Amino acid sequence: MDNTHFNRMKTGLEEAIAFMNGDATRVTLHKVPILNVKALRQDLGMTQNQFAQLIGSTQQTVASWEQTSSQRCPVGPTQKLLFLLRQNPGIVQDLQQLPN
């Protein structure tokens, strides 16, 4: 039996445990840049409501991200989705075709 997948998972878990214990030498951190949500939305030619529907959020959340004084910004999967939209605006049509 091939243990490749098991060994990769084991290595990943060992790296995660080491990182939690303060050892960042065996870890690769991938940081997604924080984007200007308002500029992205405007570049896509969308209202706050249209943009919110596209990314599965609310107009209020988009508005709060766009406030210059706001400390709130997209995180996690939403941050990655916005990064992908910035890099490849053509996926807007693909997202719009997905069922709600």
Side-chain angles (χ1 to χ4, degrees):
M1 178 178 192
D2 184 6
N3 289 330
T4 303
H5 295 298
F6 172 79
N7 290 333
R8 288 180 66 194
M9 288 191 318
K10 180 182 174 201
T11 300
L13 289 172
E14 289 169 347
E15 290 173 355
I17 291 168
F19 181 74
M20 287 178 51
N21 291 328
D23 177 10
T25 59
R26 298 172 47 190
V27 191
T28 302
L29 296 177
H30 301 278
K31 294 194 175 206
V32 177
I34 296 173
L35 298 174
N36 181 327
V37 175
K38 185 174 185 176
L40 173 60
R41 176 184 61 77
Q42 289 175 335
D43 288 348
L44 295 173
M46 298 181 141
T47 66
Q48 287 182 343
N49 194 48
Q50 290 169 328
F51 189 72
Q53 288 179 354
L54 178 73
I55 64 171
S57 189
T58 66
Q59 182 274 328
Q60 292 83 4
T61 298
V62 172
S64 79
W65 291 336
E66 291 184 1
Q67 290 178 4
T68 56
S69 63
S70 176
Q71 295 299 316
R72 295 193 63 215
C73 61
V75 295
T78 304
Q79 183 183 22
K80 292 177 183 179
L81 175 60
L82 297 181
F83 178 76
L84 291 173
L85 281 169
R86 169 57 70 206
Q87 297 298 330
N88 185 6
I91 65 172
V92 169
Q93 289 78 19
D94 294 333
L95 291 172
Q96 289 172 330
Q97 292 176 5
L98 293 174
N100 290 334

